[in-house]
Amino acid sequence: MKIALLSYEYPPDASYGGIATYVHQAAKMLAGRGHHVEVFTSSPVRAGTIDEEGVRVHRVLETQHSSFPAAIAPVFEHRHTEMAFDVIESPEYGADAHEAIKRVPQVPLVVKLHTPSFLLTLATYEGLRATDELRWRLLAGRVREYARQAFGGARPKWRYTHKYSLDAERVLTSSADEIASPSRALAAIVAEAWRLDPNKISHVPYPYAPSDALSSLPPGGEHGTVTFIGRLEVRKGVLDLARAIPLVLRQLPEIRFRFVGGDDESPHKALGMRDYLRRELQPCGASVEFLPPLPNEQLVTVFASSDIVVIPSIWENFANVCL
């Protein structure tokens, strides 16, 4: 098959999160099975086409996710006239293929669910906009309750309140020939919120093939280090982790904590999450270390020097860090 993967995120230039990891893994696996795979993605530093690991990668110079669907559409359309792709896959988040599919509506569309914006908003941004601690605590309680219900199999009691006609993510997903979700919980939430037929959503977990270096690491360690790996955002539970660190250090002052990941918004409008956590954890001194996001091959060293990797997320669709 000739497969086109449209995604704003793709390594190494645009490794912003789990979508980049998924698309990279999926592209390599599909190519390894003999399919012709091309990725249409973004970069903050370059544009052009290059073959990488058996996959042809087309990049547009773009740093705004909201502008990516329009920027990549003509690139895909031009390439489609040459290749006649059999299928397009796009994440629902950002509706990356929203404009491309308008130009080539005859090509079958697969939408891979990751985490739609309304769910991210619920778990993150509404909390950041809260004007007082009470509202933040109430929101956090609601998020945990939704997660409990979803994983417990109960019908979610919340309702999606955005205007359907203006939500490109919902429009793209509703128009898809196939919808795939990495977890049953996410499929249930999206079907309920967007009023989709649950039978139209297939459960397809993320593929993941660890490197030889990663899979050969021995378990445990003797470094006294607890590591968090992921974007520094509310949804990843870093605020809960930050509150726990002083409690641990009172009992075990020799323990060291390490945050590895990119910056995001914090409860303080003037501070990114990294600076916010540094300020909150200043009394802990050298017991807390912050490292920038690292390429996957460098994470092997991070795992090797860790005794515990903690994943305190409020919500995950299918945690790549856990894999």
Side-chain angles (χ1 to χ4, degrees):
M1 291 183 69
K2 292 176 286 186
I3 302 170
L5 304 176
L6 272 67
S7 172
Y8 176 68
E9 299 184 24
Y10 192 76
D13 297 28
S15 292
Y16 302 128
I19 295 177
T21 301
Y22 159 73
V23 178
H24 187 224
Q25 290 274 335
K28 289 194 301 180
M29 287 187 175
L30 290 168
R33 284 297 190 94
H35 299 289
H36 180 86
V37 182
E38 300 195 16
V39 175
F40 296 80
T41 187
S42 73
S43 170
V45 295
R46 58 175 169 163
T49 299
I50 189 171
D51 291 330
E52 301 175 2
E53 302 175 293
V55 175
R56 176 158 291 190
V57 182
H58 308 268
R59 291 184 172 90
V60 292
L61 186 63
E62 185 57 69
T63 59
Q64 298 296 321
H65 197 167
S66 59
S67 303
F68 173 73
I72 202 64
V75 177
F76 172 76
E77 183 183 25
H78 174 75
R79 183 60 176 161
H80 177 65
T81 60
E82 300 173 337
M83 287 300 301
F85 288 104
D86 296 307
V87 64
I88 302 170
E89 183 183 285
S90 166
E92 96 287 20
Y93 179 67
D96 291 348
H98 183 62
E99 296 299 327
I101 203 67
K102 291 179 181 178
R103 294 174 178 243
V104 287
Q106 70 277 13
V107 182
L109 170 66
V110 175
V111 168
K112 181 74 169 184
L113 301 179
H114 295 280
T115 302
S117 293
F118 78 85
L119 190 52
L120 286 174
T121 298
L122 180 65
T124 305
Y125 299 109
E126 285 187 13
L128 295 178
R129 295 185 187 124
T131 56
D132 57 67
E133 184 177 0
L134 176 61
R135 183 178 171 191
W136 167 247
R137 288 182 182 274
L138 288 172
L139 177 69
R142 286 167 53 203
V143 169
R144 292 187 180 94
E145 176 65 13
Y146 302 154
R148 184 193 67 77
Q149 291 172 358
F151 285 102
R155 181 183 176 90
K157 294 181 172 57
W158 49 274
R159 290 292 181 271
Y160 174 68
T161 57
H162 296 146
K163 294 181 179 179
Y164 293 151
S165 61
L166 299 179
D167 188 339
E169 293 178 1
R170 181 185 182 274
V171 170
L172 180 72
T173 305
S174 299
S175 67
D177 298 280
E178 296 283 346
I179 306 171
S181 175
S183 69
R184 293 185 177 91
L186 180 61
I189 288 174
V190 171
E192 169 77 11
W194 283 347
R195 300 175 184 172
L196 302 175
D197 180 357
N199 296 318
K200 190 179 178 180
I201 305 177
S202 301
H203 175 219
V204 184
Y206 286 152
Y208 188 79
S211 65
D212 291 339
L214 183 60
S215 58
S216 64
L217 287 178
E222 300 177 355
H223 306 279
T225 300
V226 177
T227 299
F228 167 89
I229 299 177
R231 199 161 45 244
L232 303 181
E233 58 175 297
V234 173
R235 181 173 59 96
K236 297 293 185 180
V238 293
L239 298 178
D240 290 327
L241 178 57
R243 284 190 286 268
I245 288 174
L247 304 179
V248 175
L249 292 177
R250 288 173 197 164
Q251 301 294 322
L252 299 168
E254 70 277 10
I255 299 296
R256 295 294 178 266
F257 290 86
R258 181 168 51 192
F259 291 83
V260 183
D263 204 8
D264 209 286
E265 295 181 76
S266 82
H268 193 291
K269 292 182 179 180
L271 295 175
M273 185 64 83
R274 186 186 307 275
D275 289 338
Y276 178 82
L277 293 176
R278 278 199 178 107
R279 188 188 71 177
E280 296 297 301
L281 295 171
Q282 188 174 9
C284 300
S287 297
V288 181
E289 177 187 16
F290 290 88
L291 297 178
L294 299 173
N296 285 336
E297 58 270 18
Q298 293 185 27
L299 289 179
V300 174
T301 302
V302 174
F303 282 117
S305 61
S306 301
D307 297 274
I308 296 172
V309 173
V310 59
I311 308 173
S313 299
I314 295 172
W315 162 259
E316 288 283 357
N317 53 13
F318 198 96
N320 283 297
V321 174
C322 189
L323 293 177

